[in-house]
Amino acid sequence: MGHVKLFIPGPIEVSEKTLAAFAKPVIGHRSQAFKDLYARVQPRLQQLFYTKQPVLLSTSSAWGVMEAAIRNLVNKKVLCCGNGAFSDKWLDVALRSGKEAESIRSEWGSPIRGSAIEEKLATGEFDAVTLIHNETSTGTQSPLSEISSIKKKFPDVMFIVDAVSSLSGQKIPMDELGFDVLLCGVQKAFAMPPGLALFSVSEAGFARAATVKGRGYYFDFLEFKKNAEGNMTPSTPAINHIYALESKLEEIFQEGLDARFARHQKLADMTRAWATNHGFTLFPDEGYESITLTCVNNGARPEKGGRVIDVEKFVKLVKAEGFLINGGYGKIKGTTFRVSNMGDETPETMTELFSAMDKAIAKL
Ligand SMILES: Cc1ncc(COP(=O)(O)O)c(C=O)c1O
């Protein structure tokens, strides 16, 4: 079998152009050439994060920065908001990092609500909150502007926001929202190979880090800040990844941010229409569906009704057509399935996938 094109919600399909951008001679990470490369990607990253703060480059997967945010910003106790596999896991990561932590949970498929966060923060016990904007396991988005209004009521509480599978697919204006850490991994909507995480930290976040003991070295936010001032990273980064990032940013800004966000919305609408036209319902609560991936209900939420198929067989049949979709994650494996529309996809490439899904469904 030839190449199977990835429509799983990360890592996603990487273009030949992006892969080719890696193939440049390696340069020293303390050289002027590296500092120039770092400086070239900075303004565009800041535009993409809608921030005046530096955007920092971590040679790690997203979890590196997610754990780092806990280690750098929590003195007292962290509130971990969970509504799916990745956000639920953050509580465990906080506890393993030796921090006091507590969780609030929404049902999988339901968003995190500002009111639930506000109620907890009113106790005065917490100095940080973690949440995931786009819970990839359930294809559910939480309302960032609502959550931002709570941040504004509790300015001293650090809001740590994972936008791993949404950033660059939709607008997330970090400074306007007032969040303290915004982070993502490039293997999702950036359509790059895994291995690099991007994040930004507010002034208040850096000030908090300065008061926290045990930040370690590799993920110390203050080391990142100090090195960023000289257009460098604290340790040897994935240099060729940054060449590829430069190439990807060129493409993103050639398309234009608004056009890129509109394209993702259109492709999500097409995917949702494919699902409903085939008798399925969507897994998330209505109005909270992800814009970068679609999680289709296949019996996980019986109250929503809709068609139920043999997902494992369906995924295999779609694969035989040359496309990989995902058969559900964690406790909703098999009772949902997920289709990504993030990255470089277009109405034409999504239509090719839908034809393959049509063929597969006809064979069930
Ligand atoms: C929303 C979200 N957060 C965090 C992660 C973990 O990312 P990584 O595997 O890059 O550490 C994922 C991975 O799928 C994710 O979807």
Side-chain angles (χ1 to χ4, degrees):
M1 186 176 213
H3 175 61
V4 176
K5 187 172 173 187
L6 299 182
F7 281 91
I8 53 173
I12 62 159
E13 193 66 14
V14 178
S15 69
E16 291 293 329
K17 183 176 175 212
T18 300
L19 289 174
F22 277 82
K24 289 217 171 96
V26 178
I27 51 176
H29 66 296
R30 303 293 178 217
S31 67
Q32 191 56 45
F34 179 79
K35 292 177 192 171
D36 292 345
L37 171 65
Y38 188 104
R40 283 199 303 276
V41 295
Q42 239 353 264
R44 283 181 162 168
L45 287 175
Q46 287 172 306
Q47 268 178 276
L48 204 48
F49 276 63
Y50 294 83
T51 187
K52 291 197 172 64
Q53 293 297 100
V55 177
L56 304 162
L57 277 56
S58 170
T59 297
S60 67
S61 82
W63 267 119
V65 179
M66 291 162 81
E67 180 171 326
I70 300 271
R71 291 184 181 272
N72 276 266
L73 299 185
V74 182
N75 267 326
K76 231 157 60 174
K77 188 173 180 183
V78 55
L79 179 68
C80 298
C81 305
N83 63 338
F86 298 103
S87 47
D88 287 356
K89 176 89 185 151
W90 224 335
L91 172 72
D92 178 39
V93 171
L95 294 170
R96 290 190 200 197
S97 302
K99 302 290 182 181
E100 270 204 64
E102 194 180 315
S103 70
I104 44 170
R105 296 264 157 97
S106 292
E107 288 298 315
W108 284 30
S110 297
I112 297 295
R113 300 314 306 239
S115 52
I117 298 175
E118 183 171 14
E119 202 178 299
K120 278 291 180 186
L121 295 189
T123 64
E125 284 177 47
F126 301 94
D127 62 354
V129 175
T130 64
L131 64 111
I132 290 185
H133 171 228
N134 192 58
E135 189 26 275
T136 321
S137 61
T138 65
T140 305
Q141 296 218 329
S142 288
L144 290 187
S145 48
E146 178 184 305
I147 292 165
S148 157
S149 69
I150 309 305
K151 162 69 194 178
K152 284 165 191 162
K153 289 188 190 173
F154 297 91
D156 297 336
V157 177
M158 298 289 108
F159 275 53
I160 303 164
V161 179
D162 163 325
V164 166
S165 58
S166 50
L167 207 142
S168 98
Q170 66 192 100
K171 183 172 178 177
I172 307 176
M174 172 165 165
D175 288 356
E176 194 182 307
L177 291 163
F179 296 145
D180 297 290
V181 176
L182 184 67
L183 72 107
C184 71
V186 298
Q187 77 274 22
K188 306 279 186 185
F190 280 77
M192 291 175 60
L196 194 66
L198 309 171
F199 67 107
S200 193
V201 180
S202 67
E203 277 303 336
F206 286 126
R208 168 66 64 79
T211 71
V212 178
K213 291 201 177 72
R215 299 189 305 276
Y217 171 71
Y218 191 77
F219 287 116
D220 180 357
F221 284 179
L222 299 184
E223 286 290 343
F224 274 95
K225 183 173 192 274
K226 191 174 76 191
N227 279 276
E229 283 157 11
N231 289 319
M232 286 182 289
T233 50
S235 52
T236 318
I239 295 164
N240 292 52
H241 239 110
I242 304 171
Y243 280 128
L245 178 64
E246 182 181 33
S247 159
K248 183 49 77 179
L249 288 168
E250 263 163 33
E251 274 175 41
I252 290 176
F253 282 88
Q254 244 162 35
E255 181 179 13
L257 290 185
D258 290 344
R260 180 177 176 84
F261 300 152
R263 174 169 59 81
H264 279 83
Q265 180 67 64
K266 180 178 176 157
L267 303 185
D269 290 343
M270 287 173 71
T271 313
R272 293 173 200 169
W274 181 92
T276 51
N277 290 340
H278 287 76
F280 294 102
T281 54
L282 304 180
F283 181 75
D285 290 359
E286 202 178 335
Y288 297 95
E289 298 89 354
S290 165
I291 290 166
T292 52
L293 72 127
T294 297
C295 184
V296 179
N297 184 34
N298 187 57
R301 295 185 79 173
E303 75 281 7
K304 285 194 149 217
R307 186 171 181 177
V308 174
I309 55 168
D310 180 340
V311 162
E312 203 181 328
K313 195 166 169 200
F314 177 55
V315 171
K316 271 194 195 139
L317 289 165
V318 176
K319 190 173 176 192
E321 298 292 329
F323 302 91
L324 194 66
I325 61 169
N326 172 273
Y329 192 93
K331 68 181 184 190
I332 52 173
K333 185 174 160 68
T335 56
T336 56
F337 59 91
R338 299 179 301 160
V339 178
S340 162
N341 61 266
M342 55 183 112
D344 300 335
E345 302 311 332
T346 63
E348 293 71 36
T349 63
M350 292 308 292
T351 302
E352 282 166 18
L353 170 69
F354 299 144
S355 308
M357 287 163 63
D358 285 344
K359 279 191 199 155
I361 226 158
K363 288 185 192 156
L364 283 175

